[in-house]
Amino acid sequence: MICTNKDCATDFNARTHNQKYCSDECCRLATNKRIMEKYYEKKAIKNGATRLCKKCSAQLSRYNQESLCSTCEKSIEIKSKSMMMDILNEIK
Ligand SMILES: [Zn+2]
Ligand SMILES: [Zn+2]
């Protein structure tokens, strides 16, 4: 196993199959890093940083906390709805 902490990336023998980090310290550091990244992301949104839609790269409104623009959100909604209809039709 390679430690999931990118700054460490040590090759280690996992004691359990779902062990992701070589040590508790690495696990703690990686968790902290994730929390900080989330914090900075939120802060950037508040400061009006430009964020782009993950799907179509349209600029997101600073009031939009999602990673998709409203157009893409809607198209996904429609898609999942029509998929539900397909499933229902198959059952009939
Ligand atoms: Zn490590
Ligand atoms: Zn979009």
Side-chain angles (χ1 to χ4, degrees):
M1 272 295 291
I2 303 287
C3 180
T4 308
N5 178 6
K6 283 198 191 83
D7 298 330
C8 167
T10 304
D11 205 345
F12 70 99
N13 290 318
R15 274 165 290 162
T16 56
H17 70 279
N18 57 2
Q19 193 184 346
K20 288 185 193 151
Y21 304 98
C22 67
S23 62
D24 289 345
E25 181 67 7
C26 268
C27 183
R28 196 178 61 81
L29 284 173
T31 307
N32 278 355
K33 212 173 146 192
R34 263 212 312 278
I35 290 168
M36 287 312 280
E37 272 168 11
K38 271 253 177 291
Y39 170 77
Y40 282 120
E41 203 185 300
K42 280 226 173 94
K43 209 170 152 181
I45 292 170
K46 258 195 194 147
N47 291 339
T50 308
R51 288 156 57 248
L52 301 177
C53 171
K54 275 202 178 131
K55 223 174 157 216
C56 72
S57 296
Q59 194 172 323
L60 294 177
S61 150
R62 59 178 295 193
Y63 304 108
N64 185 354
Q65 301 266 328
E66 309 302 324
S67 50
L68 293 175
C69 70
S70 50
T71 312
C72 288
E73 285 268 18
K74 248 180 226 146
S75 76
I76 285 173
E77 214 172 277
I78 290 164
K79 224 183 249 168
S80 61
K81 254 186 205 147
S82 70
M83 214 168 82
M84 273 306 291
M85 289 305 286
D86 284 349
I87 291 168
L88 287 175
N89 281 333
E90 266 173 47
I91 295 168
K92 262 191 261 174

